[in-house]
Amino acid sequence: MYLSANMNTEIYQSTTVSIEEEIAKIGLTIEPKYFHALGAIHGSVYFKLLDDAAFFAVNSIVRDAFVLTTNFNINLIRPVNTGIITAIGKVKFKSRNLFIAESTLINEQGKEIAFGTGHFAKSKTPLTEEIGYK
């Protein structure tokens, strides 16, 4: 589901994903098309990877419905303009309908370049094979 989404096939083609119980890893090879005017990746790229990793960490344990991001805050630590970056999302809190997950974005040297925390809620949209559950 994730890798076949238009955004990932048309803009973020080098995206990788690994999902386990309560943990998700999203990787991306940096390309100049992601740069802002100062030659490093734009904050939207940080946000996308951090949110996606946290989202899939949560949806790894919510198997009956699609989850929605209701709030997500990010902190940018350092710029990056080369290599592969990886966001690692982990579930921190879970209840019947509300989930909190955090994610960390690291560069190839293992240095943290950003982190974020998000709130996620179960939607009323069933998670089926048609929209990605297998």
Side-chain angles (χ1 to χ4, degrees):
M1 170 181 79
Y2 180 68
L3 293 176
S4 64
N6 287 345
M7 180 172 276
N8 292 322
T9 61
E10 295 182 22
I11 301 171
Y12 298 97
Q13 297 95 341
S14 66
T15 300
T16 61
V17 62
S18 169
I19 303 169
E20 300 173 28
E21 187 89 0
E22 296 190 16
I23 298 172
K25 295 178 184 176
I26 309 289
L28 181 71
T29 301
I30 300 303
E31 299 178 38
K33 67 181 176 181
Y34 306 133
F35 292 178
H36 54 56
L38 297 179
I41 60 172
H42 190 272
S44 62
V45 179
Y46 290 85
F47 174 83
K48 180 188 182 321
L49 295 173
L50 291 166
D51 178 55
D52 289 352
F55 169 91
F56 279 103
V58 171
N59 232 142
S60 75
I61 59 172
V62 177
R63 299 182 189 256
D64 61 335
F66 204 72
V67 297
L68 304 171
T69 304
T70 60
N71 179 39
F72 201 88
N73 295 299
I74 68 170
N75 299 276
L76 307 177
I77 298 171
R78 59 180 42 95
V80 66
N81 58 13
T82 61
I84 298 171
I85 54 176
T86 304
I88 303 163
K90 297 179 182 179
V91 176
K92 299 304 284 185
F93 171 82
K94 52 190 170 185
S95 68
R96 203 179 80 157
N97 291 311
L98 174 68
F99 304 83
I100 299 173
E102 63 183 19
S103 51
T104 302
L105 189 59
I106 59 172
N107 63 17
E108 285 182 292
Q109 292 74 41
K111 285 188 174 185
E112 186 174 39
I113 60 172
F115 63 93
T117 303
H119 294 191
F120 302 85
K122 281 178 75 170
S123 74
K124 294 182 181 183
T125 304
L127 198 52
T128 65
E129 285 195 34
E130 290 80 39
I131 61 169
Y133 180 74
K134 295 181 181 182

